[in-house]
Amino acid sequence: MTDTATTEPFEEADQQKHASALGIWVFLATEVLFFGALFTQYAIMRMIHADAFFEAARTTRVWFGTANTAILLTSGLTMALAFKGEKADCPKVAVSMLWSTVLLGFLFLLVKGAEYYLDIRDGFIPGSASFPLEPAATQSFWSVYWLLTVIHAVHLSIGLVLIAVVAHLIRKGRLRSTTRASVMEVTSLYWAFVDMMWLFIYPLIYLAGRAG
Amino acid sequence: MTKRSLGWRAYLWPEVAIFGVLLALLAATLGLAYLPLGSLNLAVALLFAVVMAALVALFFMELARARSI
């Protein structure tokens, strides 16, 4: 078996690479539809309850959201450098950048966890008797907050597992160079997508109504 | 695949430069959210989000250099 051997059923390395690229783009298209529905829900609720939305949005913890945006952007950089390292045939660089991405992802989840702890402590749970805001429509905002951020965190967690597995396999030398290129491309595209979704969640959730 | 040497400057450029621009845009997004622009606040915030997402797509997802499938 040569280093450029392909995985069944592919006969050529290019064919395998194009198939994996097409697969991840189709998957990301379905993800755009999924998040698009959530953003549409946000827009409709915000149009119906504009004042309540602004009041509720001002109670989110903007510094947590901003810190997490900076962390995700940094992880996007390390992931891009990992992909670049792999393309330059420097697996050691790729692996170290992949693990840096994993660490930054965990940092994101740590900050998010601290934020969730404070949110729950302060009673921002829609439907609970101790919900601290009036009118009742403010609960709509917090419903969207939990929905969007939890779904994003789930996507991010899946990405973390994927990156950790890829880093481990590359470090152990268990991926052929052709397979490694495809796997790295798919992984980096998925992570960049998770980054991009947060770039839209951040202003909608944390910055709405800040101007007063 | 032939092995190529990877100089640090070539390795980090342009991703680090784009990262700097993204952080500057993040700071601008945060600052502008506190300016009383009325309904333009949302439009400006989303415009910045679109620009940042485009930079991520073009440079971190390498779409600027990608060939069509």
Side-chain angles (χ1 to χ4, degrees), chain A residues 181-199:
Chain A
S182 300
V183 166
M184 280 296 293
E185 184 177 18
V186 166
T187 309
S188 67
L189 284 174
Y190 179 80
W191 193 256
F193 172 80
V194 172
D195 257 19
M196 287 168 73
M197 287 302 102
W198 182 261
L199 290 175

Side-chain angles (χ1 to χ4, degrees), chain B residues 51-64:
Chain B
V51 172
M52 291 166 80
L55 288 174
V56 169
L58 287 173
F59 295 96
F60 288 0
M61 291 171 107
E62 298 209 344
L63 294 191

Side-chain angles (χ1 to χ4, degrees), chain A residues 81 84 87 93 97 192 211, chain B residues 4 10-11 13 15 33 61-62:
Chain A
L81 292 177
K84 202 171 182 178
K87 284 207 302 187
V93 173
M97 286 295 133
Chain B
R4 283 175 283 158
Y11 176 60
W13 181 264
E15 281 79 2
M61 291 171 107
E62 298 209 344

